[in-house]
Amino acid sequence: MASPTTLRHAEIAGVGHYVPDRVVKNAELEEMMSTTDAWIQERTGIQERRWFEEGKDTTAGMGAEAARRALANAGLTVDDVQLIVFATLSPDYFFPGSGVLMQRELGMTGNVPALDVRNQCSGFIYGLSVADQFVRTGMYDTVLVVGSEIHSSGLDKTQRGRAVSVIFGDGAGAVVLRPARTEGNGILSTHLHAQGEFAEELIVKEPGSNREDRVNYAIANEQDMYPYMNGQNVFKHAVVRFPQVIKEALDQNNYQPADIDLLIPHQANLRITQYVQQKMGLADDKVFSNIQRYGNTTAASIPIALSEAVAQGRIKRGDLVCLAAFGSGFTWASALIKW
């Protein structure tokens, strides 16, 4: 293990993802939510998403499978992991967090610490930034960063909830962080932001702990247990914050948008991604989108997309890769990586 006084870059040594088997196409939602395939695609770009299967998939379990694949991709085993950073807004239990549940699922020994991150759509980059600091300072050599979500069990699947419910899907992605093998490669910088004044613009409000009887209050206010989104306001802020935080990363490392080999944004809405692409002046082959097949999987969306991009050969050694996210909080973040 490196001396704590030695700063070093961390690199993504392995990637992996898992999505449930159940494919839910827009046609399946048409009667359920009184919507149409054309309406969904026009507003989101989504054609299908994955929904979990009760009794088979859990947030921790999906994360564990993504982690196994990431470790195998890195040529490592669970015995090499020294820290887990687990990002989710949909934990299996109210407490404890899903990080320790995944640790158990993976059969880890040695009391490996598990840290849970609750930053929704920005959760994976927030978690990546935390893990990066541990590797940079030499406290840990091998950190597992996981984003895993089950949205489908908490959606209002009626006409009343369709504007939000058609967007989200389930899945998990994971990366393994290790000290960079090549000088100048790895995570160059991460950039994290939040603006809490807009917390209620994208929210699941209940069950909140600030109720004397939170359970009965939530039952009496059932609609507040479903996601609420002020779509117009979220879009308005997203198309500003995405370019800002991407530019922040590029400026800090003396790069221009033209230097980006691949931008992997949080898969929130294809219209947002396309707006950001146009704003940054990036060609189609410089931006990765898979929201068409998975919908918005929140903390899982960037690691799933990153895993697919690597598998498809869209990223090669030495490429400049930018990750960026915006979502509930409001929170937004970016990471710039020399692969």
Side-chain angles (χ1 to χ4, degrees), residues 10-287:
E11 71 175 8
I12 294 176
V15 296
H17 71 280
Y18 169 87
V19 292
D21 292 332
R22 185 183 174 192
V23 178
V24 179
K25 295 184 179 295
N26 290 344
E28 187 173 337
L29 305 183
E30 289 184 338
E31 185 173 347
M32 185 187 303
M33 300 181 190
S34 186
T35 186
T36 66
D37 172 65
W39 187 90
I40 296 170
Q41 289 204 50
E42 179 185 349
R43 286 160 178 78
T44 69
I46 299 167
Q47 300 170 17
E48 61 187 43
R49 74 283 296 142
R50 303 297 181 100
W51 283 0
F52 90 120
E53 296 179 53
E54 186 175 356
K56 177 183 178 184
D57 300 311
T58 65
T59 299
M62 294 194 306
E65 185 55 34
R68 291 185 191 100
R69 296 175 186 184
L71 287 164
N73 183 244
L76 300 171
T77 72
V78 293
D79 294 331
D80 296 305
V81 177
Q82 297 168 314
L83 171 69
I84 293 168
V85 181
F86 197 106
T88 188
L89 63 73
S90 52
D92 296 298
Y93 303 146
F94 201 91
F95 68 86
S98 290
V100 296
L101 303 181
M102 190 186 78
Q103 181 215 55
R104 179 176 66 184
E105 183 98 10
L106 290 172
M108 287 185 174
T109 58
N111 302 320
V112 173
L115 173 67
D116 290 81
V117 173
R118 288 289 304 274
N119 288 94
Q120 297 69 249
C121 299
S122 303
F124 177 77
I125 299 182
Y126 266 70
L128 189 72
S129 182
V130 169
D132 179 42
Q133 311 313 310
F134 280 117
V135 176
R136 278 179 183 263
T137 59
M139 185 168 182
Y140 297 115
D141 286 334
T142 307
V143 182
L144 190 57
V145 186
V146 178
S148 183
E149 303 286 9
I150 293 178
H151 286 297
S152 59
S153 59
L155 300 175
D156 181 354
K157 297 169 185 167
T158 68
Q159 182 176 354
R160 181 177 55 187
R162 67 181 179 184
V164 174
S165 297
V166 299
I167 297 171
F168 293 99
D170 306 336
V175 302
V176 180
L177 256 58
R178 292 273 298 162
R181 294 162 290 175
T182 304
E183 184 70 26
N185 281 16
I187 298 174
L188 304 181
S189 63
T190 57
H191 308 268
L192 311 178
H193 299 280
Q195 195 171 9
E197 67 190 272
F198 297 107
E200 286 75 28
E201 298 293 81
L202 180 50
I203 186 174
V204 173
K205 192 173 182 180
E206 301 298 342
S209 59
N210 58 340
R211 312 292 185 192
E212 186 172 351
D213 184 350
R214 73 175 75 159
V215 175
N216 284 324
Y217 184 91
I219 292 171
N221 295 270
E222 175 187 284
Q223 193 58 33
D224 286 340
M225 290 193 285
Y226 294 121
Y228 164 79
M229 178 173 65
N230 181 340
Q232 288 186 340
N233 206 25
V234 170
F235 187 95
K236 181 178 73 174
H237 282 81
V239 296
V240 172
R241 296 308 189 184
F242 264 112
Q244 281 182 349
V245 80
I246 294 167
K247 186 176 185 299
E248 181 182 5
L250 293 171
D251 287 349
Q252 178 160 323
N253 296 282
N254 298 312
Y255 286 110
Q256 299 296 321
D259 297 317
I260 295 175
D261 292 295
L262 193 64
L263 170 66
I264 301 181
H266 163 57
Q267 306 293 304
N269 185 308
L270 189 60
R271 291 168 58 212
I272 293 175
T273 296
Q274 290 169 339
Y275 185 95
V276 173
Q277 176 184 346
Q278 183 180 26
K279 184 78 171 177
M280 303 300 297
L282 299 174
D284 289 347
D285 63 348
K286 301 294 186 181
V287 182

